[in-house]
């Protein structure tokens, strides 16, 4: 008789590690690099290409020279160190001409002004990028403040200047420490209040960069104050659209007909101001940031209005928005820049004195706004109709629905496209070299290479400029990813 008894294990077997081919680096390499015959061939070809590039570039980078007064001296140093026929990078051109790549032909004794404006720009961006976040606002403002002060100290040592027996660099450092210290305290105690400085920064930045009478920027701010006052007085009786239009008309009347007389009288009574700097002296990354940041900040709200106008049920508003968007998108940016350089002045009011940089900013803003409008229109089209019906059910009017329900969701969906447009816009600032401005990639590099000391140098300036552009664009891309993760509200 057979024994039918069964065996039941009373203890669990100890867990064992998976096979070597199914864990760790070996698994990753097998699945990602050699998962098929085609992927294996592509991986091998890529590794060979990377090896050849590194083999050619590594000696050139390792033989770099940082201290030299000319390209010929660089080559002599490389030949003396590594033998005849050796090649190496001559970064001495960056060491000698860094100020031109950063500031163009801005007066050296006034380098503290764009440096201060650049630091304050990040302080002004902190409450916008990280609204209400006390910790991040304080850290960002504090770090920017320290870096700005260190930069001002370095500039004062590299370009010393004395005004009335007082060291100008030390005075600039003291003023910067007081201002930035106060802003850091505001970021720590009341981070949302820092938004007031964000609203004031355009006038502060303009005054620091261009200088002149202090009453000009104050008069411009007064025009915006007129706009707000007229809007608040009229929106209750006339509505948001008509109230906004009345405010814009009132501000335009102030700017075009009244401001120059008022600011001129104030300047004659109390002549406060700093040395004026012409736009012709702007260049390098100073010019790129002035055009790029201004166009980015102005094109986003303009693009939102154009997107809403294109989806409007009002035939005139829709026709104007569609015509503007399609015309701008159908014209190359080069054409827009030449229009800014040659034709825009003819369409401005008499006695208007818009210099070339301001004209370029206007046309670049229009160009970017048209593309931003289409990106945001895609976000609006992606929203389900139920969101609009929910706004109607709550009794919200058009602008309340757009502000509270529709536009926040549409902007969240459009973040990747908006940031991509901003990155492309910032890189396209190099095209202003075609209208006579000294951008960092072509304008300043041509000036540097035209000097007899650096005639024949090629790769180093382009690599230096490219690395800075990459750092800026990569930072925007990373912030876009952070914002997408922060606003993500679906299942995780």
């Amino acid at each position: 008789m057979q024994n039918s008894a069964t065996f039941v294990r009373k203890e669990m077997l100890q867990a064992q590690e998976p096979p070597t081919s199914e864990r760790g680096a070996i698994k990753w390499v097998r699945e990602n690099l050699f998962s098929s015959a085609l992927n294996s061939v592509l991986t091998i070809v890529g590794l060979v290409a990377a090896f050849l590039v590194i083999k050619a570039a590594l000696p050139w980078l390792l033989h770099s020279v940082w201290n030299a007064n000319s390209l010929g001296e660089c080559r002599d140093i490389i030949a003396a160190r590594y033998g005849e026929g050796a090649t190496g990078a001559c970064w001495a051109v960056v060491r000698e001409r860094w100020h031109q790549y950063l500031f163009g032909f801005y007066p050296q004794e006034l380098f503290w002004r764009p440096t201060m404006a650049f630091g304050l720009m990040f302080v002004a961006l902190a409450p916008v990028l990280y609204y209400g976040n006390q910790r991040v606002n304080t850290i960002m403002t504090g770090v920017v403040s320290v870096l700005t002060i260190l930069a001002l100290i370095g500039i004062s040592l590299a370009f010393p200047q004395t005004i009335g027996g007082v060291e100008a660099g030390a005075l600039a450092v003291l003023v910067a420490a007081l201002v930035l210290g106060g802003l850091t305290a505001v970021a720590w105690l009341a981070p949302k209040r820092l938004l007031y400085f964000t609203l004031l920064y355009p006038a502060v930045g303009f005054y620091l960069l261009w200088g002149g009478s202090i009453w000009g920027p104050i008069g411009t701010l007064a025009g915006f104050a007129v706009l707000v006052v007229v809007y608040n007085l009229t929106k209750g009786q006339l509505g948001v659209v008509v109230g906004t239009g009345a405010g814009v008309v009132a501000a335009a009347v102030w700017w075009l007909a009244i401001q120059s007389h008022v600011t001129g009288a104030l300047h004659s009574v109390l002549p406060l101001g700093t040395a004026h700097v012409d736009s012709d002296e702007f260049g390098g990354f100073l010019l790129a940031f002035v055009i790029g940041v201004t166009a980015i900040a102005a094109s986003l709200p303009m693009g939102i209005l154009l997107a809403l106008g294109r989806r409007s049920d009002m035939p005139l508003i829709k026709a104007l928005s569609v015509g503007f968007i399609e015309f701008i998108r159908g014209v190359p940016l080069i054409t827009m820049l030449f229009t800014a350089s040659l034709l825009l002045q003819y369409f401005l009011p008499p006695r208007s004195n818009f210099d070339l940089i301001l004209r370029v900013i206007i046309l670049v803003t229009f160009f970017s706004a048209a593309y931003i409008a289409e990106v945001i229109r895609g976000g609006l089209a992606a929203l389900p109709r139920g969101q609009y019906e929910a706004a109607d059910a709550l009794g919200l009017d058009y602008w309340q629905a757009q502000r509270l329900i529709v536009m926040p969701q549409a902007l969240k969906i459009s973040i990747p496209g908006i940031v991509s447009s901003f990155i492309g816009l910032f890189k396209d600032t190099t095209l202003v070299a075609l209208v006579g401005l000294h951008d960092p990639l072509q304008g300043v590099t041509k000036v540097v290479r035209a000097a007899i000391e650096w005639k024949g140098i090629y790769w180093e300036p382009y690599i230096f400029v490219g690395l800075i552009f990459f750092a800026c664009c990569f930072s925007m891309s990373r912030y876009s990813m952070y914002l997408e993760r922060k606003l993500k509200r679906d299942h995780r």
Side-chain angles (χ1 to χ4, degrees):
M1 181 176 180
Q2 294 182 349
N3 187 3
S4 61
T6 58
F7 173 75
V8 179
R9 184 178 295 278
K10 296 181 180 180
E11 66 277 352
M12 295 293 295
L13 289 175
Q14 186 176 2
Q16 297 182 359
E17 292 185 353
T20 305
S21 60
E22 295 297 328
R23 59 186 170 91
I26 296 178
K27 178 184 177 182
W28 184 90
V29 169
R30 184 171 59 83
E31 290 183 351
N32 294 277
L33 302 181
F34 298 97
S35 58
S36 65
L38 178 60
N39 286 347
S40 300
V41 172
L42 293 176
T43 299
I44 295 174
V45 172
L47 291 174
V48 171
F51 172 76
L52 295 177
V53 171
I54 294 174
K55 180 182 178 182
L58 191 60
W60 184 77
L61 294 173
L62 293 177
H63 298 167
S64 299
V65 174
W66 288 90
N67 295 309
N69 296 318
S70 65
L71 179 60
E73 186 176 344
C74 271
R75 290 172 176 171
D76 293 338
I77 294 174
I78 294 172
R81 289 179 181 176
Y82 306 104
E84 293 294 334
T87 60
C90 185
W91 300 112
V93 63
V94 176
R95 184 174 178 270
E96 290 291 323
R97 299 298 185 97
W98 63 269
H99 52 88
Q100 288 186 333
Y101 281 103
L102 296 184
F103 304 113
F105 302 98
Y106 208 87
Q108 294 183 355
E109 66 275 10
L110 300 178
F111 278 173
W112 66 271
R113 281 165 43 176
T115 304
M116 186 72 176
F118 187 72
L120 291 176
M121 179 188 73
F122 284 99
V123 175
L125 285 175
V128 177
L129 301 180
Y130 306 100
Y131 178 73
N133 192 325
Q134 179 189 27
R135 177 176 174 273
V136 177
N137 273 316
T138 304
I139 292 175
M140 182 174 177
T141 306
V143 171
V144 168
S145 301
V146 172
L147 293 177
T148 302
I149 293 172
L150 292 176
L152 290 172
I153 292 174
I155 288 173
S156 65
L157 295 176
F159 307 99
Q161 186 194 19
T162 303
I163 300 178
V166 180
E167 183 66 33
L171 183 61
V173 172
L174 178 61
V175 173
L178 293 175
V179 173
L180 292 171
L183 292 173
T184 304
V186 173
W188 180 39
L189 298 174
K192 294 183 180 180
R193 297 290 180 88
L194 206 59
L195 279 174
Y196 292 113
F197 175 74
T198 303
L199 297 176
L200 292 175
Y201 175 76
V204 174
F206 179 88
Y207 178 69
L208 284 174
L209 294 176
W210 274 274
S213 173
I214 195 174
W215 300 111
I218 293 177
T220 303
L221 289 176
F224 286 102
V226 170
L227 189 155
V228 173
V229 170
V230 173
Y231 169 77
N232 288 327
L233 292 176
T234 57
K235 71 173 183 179
Q237 294 77 19
L238 303 178
V240 175
V241 176
V242 179
T244 303
V248 171
V249 171
V253 170
W254 166 266
W255 287 325
L256 297 176
I258 303 175
Q259 177 184 335
S260 59
H261 302 289
V262 175
T263 55
L266 290 173
H267 184 71
S268 62
V269 175
L270 194 61
L272 298 176
T274 57
H276 176 72
V277 179
D278 292 330
S279 296
D280 294 340
E281 298 180 85
F282 282 53
F285 281 99
L286 171 61
L287 179 65
F289 274 97
V290 167
I291 296 175
V293 173
T294 306
I296 286 172
S299 64
L300 181 58
M302 188 175 179
I304 293 174
L305 294 177
L306 287 171
L308 294 176
R310 183 156 190 169
R311 292 173 58 87
S312 174
D313 295 329
M314 303 172 67
L316 179 61
I317 299 297
K318 183 173 183 178
L320 291 176
S321 300
V322 171
F324 180 89
I325 293 172
E326 296 302 330
F327 174 77
I328 296 296
R329 292 177 68 204
V331 177
L333 180 57
I334 298 296
T335 305
M336 303 289 291
L337 293 176
F338 279 115
T339 301
S341 175
L342 303 174
L343 300 178
L344 184 61
Q345 191 72 22
Y346 294 104
F347 297 96
L348 296 175
R351 297 185 300 277
S352 296
N353 186 22
F354 276 28
D355 61 27
L356 181 57
I357 291 181
L358 294 180
R359 282 179 273 157
V360 167
I361 288 175
I362 292 173
L363 268 299
V364 171
T365 300
F366 288 168
F367 186 84
S368 177
Y371 284 88
I372 294 295
E374 287 300 283
V375 173
I376 295 175
R377 188 172 70 91
L380 292 170
L383 291 181
R385 184 166 182 80
Q387 297 297 317
Y388 298 90
E389 296 174 349
D392 294 337
L394 291 173
L396 302 178
D397 61 25
Y398 177 81
W399 293 106
Q400 289 175 333
Q402 294 296 331
R403 180 171 61 90
L404 298 175
I405 295 179
V406 176
M407 196 52 64
Q409 298 181 71
L411 291 177
K412 184 185 71 171
I413 296 172
S414 306
I415 286 175
I418 292 173
V419 175
S420 296
S421 299
F422 287 165
I423 291 174
L425 170 63
F426 183 64
K427 292 187 296 183
D428 286 343
T429 57
T430 57
L431 296 176
V432 299
L434 299 176
V435 293
L437 296 176
H438 297 286
D439 77 298
L441 187 65
Q442 300 182 56
V444 175
T445 299
K446 286 182 179 179
V447 172
V448 171
R449 294 175 64 193
I452 191 65
E453 298 89 355
W454 305 109
K455 201 170 187 65
I457 200 162
Y458 189 80
W459 290 106
E460 293 85 345
Y462 292 119
I463 293 175
F464 173 69
V465 173
L467 288 175
I468 296 180
F469 269 109
F470 171 78
C472 297
C473 297
F474 183 73
S475 300
M476 286 191 278
S477 175
R478 298 302 298 179
Y479 177 77
S480 169
M481 297 173 65
Y482 156 80
L483 198 59
E484 289 180 59
R485 291 194 301 268
K486 179 182 176 182
L487 300 178
K488 190 175 182 180
R489 292 293 182 268
D490 53 359
H491 297 288
R492 305 187 183 184

